[in-house]
Amino acid sequence: MSQTSVADTLREYLSLLELLDDAYWEASSIHHKDMLYDIISIFSQEVAEINKLSIMDHHYPYEVITEGIRRVVPKLERLDESREDVIQRTQTLTDFRDILSSVLGILEEQLATL
């Protein structure tokens, strides 16, 4: 299996960030907002670092850059377990399910190589 490219990873992370932002504004409790904000912060830092790479490097295999992204999988799994309570809108929830599996695949592939 070939590793996911930087460009593909960036696209998936940006899609997840957009959904997490929607979920944040839709969340009805401070606890849920705090959990979402924490995950948003971690992915925002990783995306900021990816954006520092040359566009010519985007075809290379993705490698984790920030330390926070190495620790985000348990947080994403907790969010996935409680997604019905945290994510209120049906469209956001449906899109979240689709993108989360892709992002977790990328992250688990990275953690296996560390």
Side-chain angles (χ1 to χ4, degrees):
M1 182 171 100
S2 65
Q3 229 180 344
T4 308
S5 72
V6 171
D8 292 339
T9 300
L10 182 59
R11 184 174 42 254
E12 296 297 321
Y13 285 2
L14 289 172
S15 295
L16 179 64
L17 274 170
E18 185 178 329
L19 288 171
L20 290 172
D21 185 62
D22 290 346
Y24 176 86
W25 291 108
E26 296 162 8
S28 60
S29 78
I30 295 298
H31 172 71
H32 293 154
K33 286 184 182 290
D34 286 347
M35 176 176 41
L36 290 165
Y37 182 80
D38 184 37
I39 297 169
I40 289 168
S41 297
I42 291 168
F43 277 98
S44 293
Q45 289 173 353
E46 185 73 5
V47 165
E49 292 300 317
I50 291 172
N51 282 330
K52 292 178 184 176
L53 297 173
S54 166
I55 195 76
M56 300 192 30
D57 293 337
H58 281 212
H59 71 280
Y60 288 117
Y62 168 70
E63 293 180 16
V64 186
I65 301 171
T66 62
E67 190 61 34
I69 205 80
R70 297 176 199 273
R71 298 186 189 122
V72 78
V73 171
K75 294 174 187 285
L76 288 175
E77 289 171 344
R78 276 195 302 274
L79 176 57
D80 190 32
E81 290 168 4
S82 60
R83 69 179 180 252
E84 299 284 336
D85 296 326
V86 177
I87 302 172
Q88 301 297 312
R89 283 186 57 236
T90 304
Q91 186 64 50
T92 307
L93 184 59
T94 304
D95 294 345
F96 178 77
R97 284 185 198 138
D98 295 339
I99 197 72
L100 183 63
S101 63
S102 177
V103 168
L104 283 174
I106 292 168
L107 291 171
E108 287 167 357
E109 178 183 295
Q110 285 297 302
L111 296 177
T113 61
L114 294 178

